[in-house]
Amino acid sequence: MRATTAAGAAAAGTTAGTAATLLVLAKAPEPGRVKTRLCPPASAEEAADVAAAALLDTLDATAAVPGGRTLVAFTGRLAGAARRVELRRALVRAGGIRQRGDGLGERIAAAHADAAARHPGVPTLQVGMDTPQLDVLLLVECVDRLRGADAVLGPARDGGWWALGLRDPRGAGPVADVPMSRADTGERTLHALRTAGLRVALLPELTDVDTAEDARSVAADVPGSRFARAVERVEALRAASFGDAR
Protein backbone atom coordinates (compact mmCIF):
# COMPACT_ATOMS: atom_id res chain seq x y z
CA MET A 1 0.00 0.00 0.00
CA ARG A 2 1.09 3.58 -0.59
CA ALA A 3 -0.46 6.92 0.19
CA THR A 4 -2.45 8.01 -2.84
CA THR A 5 -3.68 11.53 -3.44
CA ALA A 6 -7.00 12.96 -2.39
CA ALA A 7 -7.95 13.12 -6.07
CA GLY A 8 -7.14 9.45 -6.39
CA ALA A 9 -9.32 8.67 -3.40
CA ALA A 10 -12.24 10.53 -4.94
CA ALA A 11 -11.71 8.80 -8.28
CA ALA A 12 -11.87 5.45 -6.51
CA GLY A 13 -15.30 6.32 -5.17
CA THR A 14 -14.37 7.44 -1.66
CA THR A 15 -16.15 10.30 0.07
CA ALA A 16 -14.83 13.72 -0.91
CA GLY A 17 -15.59 15.14 2.54
CA THR A 18 -14.54 12.61 5.14
CA ALA A 19 -14.86 14.72 8.27
CA ALA A 20 -12.58 13.21 10.87
CA THR A 21 -9.54 13.97 12.98
CA LEU A 22 -6.66 11.74 11.95
CA LEU A 23 -4.93 11.41 15.29
CA VAL A 24 -1.32 10.24 15.07
CA LEU A 25 0.28 9.08 18.32
CA ALA A 26 3.99 9.67 17.85
CA LYS A 27 7.29 9.67 19.68
CA ALA A 28 10.37 11.67 18.70
CA PRO A 29 12.62 9.27 16.76
CA GLU A 30 15.66 9.71 18.99
CA PRO A 31 18.43 7.08 18.74
CA GLY A 32 18.13 4.57 21.54
CA ARG A 33 14.51 5.48 22.30
CA VAL A 34 12.62 4.12 19.30
CA LYS A 35 12.58 0.84 17.38
CA THR A 36 14.97 -0.71 19.88
CA ARG A 37 13.91 -4.21 18.80
CA LEU A 38 15.66 -3.54 15.50
CA CYS A 39 18.95 -3.26 17.43
CA PRO A 40 20.68 -5.47 16.54
CA PRO A 41 20.90 -5.88 13.59
CA ALA A 42 20.49 -2.11 13.08
CA SER A 43 22.38 0.54 15.01
CA ALA A 44 20.43 2.93 17.24
CA GLU A 45 20.90 5.71 14.67
CA GLU A 46 19.69 3.50 11.80
CA ALA A 47 16.66 2.37 13.80
CA ALA A 48 15.78 5.99 14.56
CA ASP A 49 16.00 6.85 10.86
CA VAL A 50 13.65 3.96 10.03
CA ALA A 51 11.20 5.25 12.67
CA ALA A 52 11.39 8.81 11.32
CA ALA A 53 10.73 7.60 7.79
CA ALA A 54 7.72 5.60 9.00
CA LEU A 55 6.28 8.64 10.77
CA LEU A 56 6.75 10.91 7.75
CA ASP A 57 5.07 8.41 5.43
CA THR A 58 2.18 8.11 7.90
CA LEU A 59 1.75 11.88 8.02
CA ASP A 60 1.67 12.00 4.22
CA ALA A 61 -1.13 9.44 4.22
CA THR A 62 -3.24 11.21 6.85
CA ALA A 63 -2.75 14.57 5.13
CA ALA A 64 -4.20 13.12 1.92
CA VAL A 65 -7.55 12.12 3.47
CA PRO A 66 -10.23 14.33 1.87
CA GLY A 67 -11.85 16.52 4.51
CA GLY A 68 -9.66 15.10 7.27
CA ARG A 69 -7.59 17.00 9.81
CA THR A 70 -4.32 15.56 11.06
CA LEU A 71 -3.48 16.07 14.73
CA VAL A 72 -0.24 14.65 16.15
CA ALA A 73 -0.09 13.69 19.84
CA PHE A 74 3.66 13.96 20.37
CA THR A 75 6.17 13.11 23.05
CA GLY A 76 9.95 13.35 23.20
CA ARG A 77 12.60 15.84 22.10
CA LEU A 78 12.62 16.70 18.43
CA ALA A 79 16.03 18.36 18.78
CA GLY A 80 17.74 14.97 19.02
CA ALA A 81 15.55 13.16 16.51
CA ALA A 82 16.44 11.65 13.16
CA ARG A 83 15.24 13.74 10.18
CA ARG A 84 14.32 16.50 12.61
CA VAL A 85 14.19 19.27 9.99
CA GLU A 86 11.73 17.39 7.78
CA LEU A 87 9.77 16.24 10.81
CA ARG A 88 9.50 19.75 12.21
CA ARG A 89 8.00 20.98 8.93
CA ALA A 90 5.54 18.06 8.85
CA LEU A 91 4.49 18.60 12.47
CA VAL A 92 3.91 22.32 11.96
CA ARG A 93 1.78 21.54 8.92
CA ALA A 94 -0.24 18.91 10.78
CA GLY A 95 -0.71 20.60 14.14
CA GLY A 96 0.11 18.93 17.40
CA ILE A 97 -0.62 18.41 21.06
CA ARG A 98 1.59 17.03 23.81
CA GLN A 99 0.85 13.57 25.10
CA ARG A 100 -0.26 13.49 28.71
CA GLY A 101 -0.85 10.72 31.22
CA ASP A 102 1.27 8.05 32.86
CA GLY A 103 0.83 4.78 30.97
CA LEU A 104 0.25 4.38 27.24
CA GLY A 105 -3.43 3.62 27.75
CA GLU A 106 -3.90 6.88 29.64
CA ARG A 107 -2.06 8.82 26.93
CA ILE A 108 -4.26 7.31 24.23
CA ALA A 109 -7.47 8.20 26.08
CA ALA A 110 -6.18 11.72 26.78
CA ALA A 111 -5.23 12.26 23.13
CA HIS A 112 -8.75 11.40 21.99
CA ALA A 113 -10.22 13.69 24.65
CA ASP A 114 -7.92 16.52 23.58
CA ALA A 115 -8.87 15.96 19.93
CA ALA A 116 -12.54 16.16 20.92
CA ALA A 117 -11.90 19.45 22.71
CA ARG A 118 -10.08 20.89 19.70
CA HIS A 119 -12.61 19.67 17.12
CA PRO A 120 -15.95 19.16 18.90
CA GLY A 121 -18.37 16.70 17.34
CA VAL A 122 -15.77 15.26 14.94
CA PRO A 123 -14.86 11.54 15.00
CA THR A 124 -11.28 10.47 15.54
CA LEU A 125 -9.22 7.79 13.86
CA GLN A 126 -6.01 7.14 15.75
CA VAL A 127 -2.96 5.46 14.24
CA GLY A 128 0.66 5.27 15.33
CA MET A 129 4.02 5.41 13.59
CA ASP A 130 4.49 1.65 13.18
CA THR A 131 2.34 1.15 10.06
CA PRO A 132 3.90 3.14 7.21
CA GLN A 133 2.04 0.94 4.71
CA LEU A 134 -1.14 2.94 5.37
CA ASP A 135 -2.62 4.72 2.39
CA VAL A 136 -5.41 7.23 1.97
CA LEU A 137 -7.90 4.67 0.63
CA LEU A 138 -7.55 2.49 3.71
CA LEU A 139 -7.83 5.48 6.04
CA VAL A 140 -10.99 6.70 4.32
CA GLU A 141 -12.45 3.19 4.55
CA CYS A 142 -11.71 3.14 8.28
CA VAL A 143 -13.43 6.48 8.86
CA ASP A 144 -16.40 5.43 6.75
CA ARG A 145 -16.87 2.33 8.92
CA LEU A 146 -17.67 4.67 11.83
CA ARG A 147 -20.96 5.55 10.14
CA GLY A 148 -22.35 2.19 11.23
CA ALA A 149 -20.49 1.70 14.50
CA ASP A 150 -19.49 3.57 17.63
CA ALA A 151 -15.87 2.49 17.31
CA VAL A 152 -13.51 0.72 14.92
CA LEU A 153 -10.45 -1.29 15.91
CA GLY A 154 -7.68 -2.48 13.60
CA PRO A 155 -6.01 -5.65 14.92
CA ALA A 156 -2.28 -6.11 14.46
CA ARG A 157 -0.67 -9.46 13.72
CA ASP A 158 1.28 -9.40 16.98
CA GLY A 159 -1.91 -9.30 19.06
CA GLY A 160 -2.03 -5.54 19.51
CA TRP A 161 -3.88 -3.02 17.36
CA TRP A 162 -2.87 -0.42 14.79
CA ALA A 163 -5.95 1.81 14.64
CA LEU A 164 -8.68 2.98 17.00
CA GLY A 165 -11.56 5.06 15.70
CA LEU A 166 -14.31 6.61 17.78
CA ARG A 167 -17.45 8.33 16.56
CA ASP A 168 -17.37 10.26 19.84
CA PRO A 169 -13.73 10.51 20.94
CA ARG A 170 -14.82 11.42 24.46
CA GLY A 171 -15.62 7.72 24.80
CA ALA A 172 -11.97 6.61 24.83
CA GLY A 173 -11.87 6.34 28.62
CA PRO A 174 -12.13 2.51 28.78
CA VAL A 175 -8.82 2.24 26.91
CA ALA A 176 -6.94 3.99 29.71
CA ASP A 177 -6.79 0.87 31.87
CA VAL A 178 -5.95 -1.63 29.12
CA PRO A 179 -2.40 -3.05 29.40
CA MET A 180 -0.52 -2.12 26.23
CA SER A 181 2.29 -3.79 24.26
CA ARG A 182 1.11 -7.30 25.08
CA ALA A 183 0.05 -10.24 22.95
CA ASP A 184 -3.52 -9.83 24.22
CA THR A 185 -3.77 -6.02 24.02
CA GLY A 186 -6.06 -6.14 20.99
CA GLU A 187 -8.40 -8.62 22.63
CA ARG A 188 -8.45 -6.64 25.87
CA THR A 189 -9.10 -3.36 24.06
CA LEU A 190 -11.99 -4.86 22.14
CA HIS A 191 -13.44 -6.26 25.38
CA ALA A 192 -13.09 -2.90 27.16
CA LEU A 193 -14.86 -1.02 24.38
CA ARG A 194 -17.70 -3.52 24.13
CA THR A 195 -18.09 -3.69 27.90
CA ALA A 196 -18.56 0.09 27.83
CA GLY A 197 -21.52 -0.46 25.51
CA LEU A 198 -19.85 0.56 22.25
CA ARG A 199 -20.61 -1.17 18.96
CA VAL A 200 -17.20 -2.02 17.55
CA ALA A 201 -16.42 -2.84 13.91
CA LEU A 202 -13.13 -4.57 13.13
CA LEU A 203 -10.77 -3.23 10.47
CA PRO A 204 -8.32 -5.23 8.31
CA GLU A 205 -5.39 -6.79 10.17
CA LEU A 206 -1.99 -5.20 9.51
CA THR A 207 1.60 -5.84 10.49
CA ASP A 208 3.14 -3.15 12.66
CA VAL A 209 6.89 -2.73 12.51
CA ASP A 210 8.71 -4.02 15.56
CA THR A 211 11.35 -6.46 14.30
CA ALA A 212 13.71 -6.77 11.35
CA GLU A 213 11.34 -9.31 9.82
CA ASP A 214 8.46 -6.84 10.12
CA ALA A 215 10.53 -4.03 8.62
CA ARG A 216 11.54 -6.06 5.58
CA SER A 217 8.02 -7.38 5.04
CA VAL A 218 6.35 -3.95 5.25
CA ALA A 219 9.08 -2.31 3.14
CA ALA A 220 8.35 -4.82 0.37
CA ASP A 221 4.72 -3.64 0.36
CA VAL A 222 5.62 0.03 -0.13
CA PRO A 223 8.53 0.17 -2.60
CA GLY A 224 9.88 3.66 -3.20
CA SER A 225 8.54 5.05 0.08
CA ARG A 226 10.74 6.80 2.62
CA PHE A 227 10.34 3.78 4.86
CA ALA A 228 11.39 1.29 2.19
CA ARG A 229 14.43 3.38 1.28
CA ALA A 230 15.43 3.68 4.94
CA VAL A 231 15.21 -0.09 5.40
CA GLU A 232 17.13 -0.66 2.17
CA ARG A 233 19.95 1.55 3.44
CA VAL A 234 20.41 -0.60 6.52
CA GLU A 235 22.58 -3.39 5.15
CA ALA A 236 22.20 -5.41 8.34
CA LEU A 237 18.40 -5.38 8.03
CA ARG A 238 18.61 -6.52 4.41
CA ALA A 239 20.97 -9.31 5.38
CA ALA A 240 19.07 -10.48 8.46
CA SER A 241 17.06 -13.59 7.79
CA PHE A 242 13.49 -13.77 8.95
CA GLY A 243 14.47 -16.46 11.41
CA ASP A 244 17.14 -14.25 12.98
CA ALA A 245 14.81 -11.31 13.67
CA ARG A 246 14.26 -10.55 17.37
Side-chain angles (χ1 to χ4, degrees), residues 27-53:
K27 182 177 183 179
E30 300 173 86
R33 294 182 177 272
V34 292
K35 291 285 169 277
T36 55
R37 291 177 64 189
L38 296 182
C39 308
S43 69
E45 290 74 18
E46 289 166 336
D49 186 65
V50 168

Side-chain angles (χ1 to χ4, degrees), residues 62-145:
T62 61
V65 173
R69 300 183 182 95
T70 299
L71 181 64
V72 183
F74 198 75
T75 188
R77 295 177 59 256
L78 198 57
R83 305 195 188 206
R84 55 187 169 274
V85 174
E86 190 177 1
L87 274 173
R88 185 173 286 109
R89 287 198 299 264
L91 292 171
V92 168
R93 183 174 66 245
I97 54 177
R98 298 299 298 184
Q99 291 183 26
R100 58 187 179 87
D102 293 329
L104 180 54
E106 288 185 13
R107 295 200 299 273
I108 289 169
H112 282 271
D114 291 344
R118 181 167 292 203
H119 303 299
V122 178
T124 51
L125 178 70
Q126 177 216 326
V127 297
M129 52 190 285
D130 294 336
T131 47
Q133 68 270 47
L134 292 176
D135 62 26
V136 62
L137 298 179
L138 177 57
L139 291 172
V140 170
E141 176 190 344
C142 295
V143 174
D144 284 348
R145 294 288 299 277

